[in-house]
Structure formats: C-alpha cells, structure tokens
C-alpha cells in the first residue's frame, strides 16, 4: 500500500521499479544484503528510500511491529 515499507533480500534494480509502481516509499534490505549499483541509481531517481539491516527479514519486521504496534505493522 502507498506509504508502506517493503522488507526484502532482493537487491536488483527491479526492486525500485516495483516499489515505485506500488507507491512504496521505503525499502529495507535485510540479512546484510547489499544493493547493486543499478538499484541504488533507480531508487534515487524514483524517490524510493533504501535502508539496510544485518537482521533477518523476520527480525526487521518484529522491530517494526514493536516500534509502531499492530496498527502500523
């Protein structure tokens, strides 16, 4: 949904394209994965914020749930 975050281990430029089409404003790349340069450039041009975490995808989602509660998770 518009304005939500997407947590993924995918790191190719298609991530930015899908996020842009879905109006997702933030992508969190989990499990220590690094975005490729194409993704960084595409995200920048599409206005999609990229963040990274060493935590597992599940761990990131648990942290979001704890921070924002059931209403936002």
């Amino acid at each position: 949904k518009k304005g939500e975050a997407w947590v993924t281990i995918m790191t190719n430029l298609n991530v930015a394209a899908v996020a842009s089409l879905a109006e997702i404003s933030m992508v969190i790349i989990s499990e220590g994965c690094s975005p490729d340069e194409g993704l960084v450039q595409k995200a920048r041009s599409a206005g999609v914020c990229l963040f990274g975490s060493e935590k597992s995808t599940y761990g990131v989602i648990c942290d979001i749930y704890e921070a924002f509660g059931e209403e936002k998770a």
Side-chain angles (χ1 to χ4, degrees):
K1 292 179 187 178
K2 184 176 181 177
E4 293 185 340
W6 177 14
V7 182
T8 185
I9 59 170
M10 295 172 47
T11 61
N12 62 45
L13 66 93
N14 292 330
V15 170
V18 171
S20 180
L21 286 172
E23 298 182 321
I24 294 171
S25 54
M26 176 176 34
V27 174
I28 303 168
I29 300 173
S30 59
E31 301 188 21
C33 297
S34 298
D36 65 28
E37 188 57 35
L39 171 54
V40 173
Q41 291 176 5
K42 180 72 174 174
R44 186 174 294 134
S45 68
V48 175
C49 296
L50 293 178
F51 293 88
S53 176
E54 294 293 321
K55 291 188 174 188
S56 69
T57 301
Y58 178 77
V60 171
I61 292 169
C62 287
D63 287 348
I64 292 169
Y65 182 84
E66 287 177 17
F68 297 101
E70 186 175 337
E71 294 175 12
K72 299 290 182 182

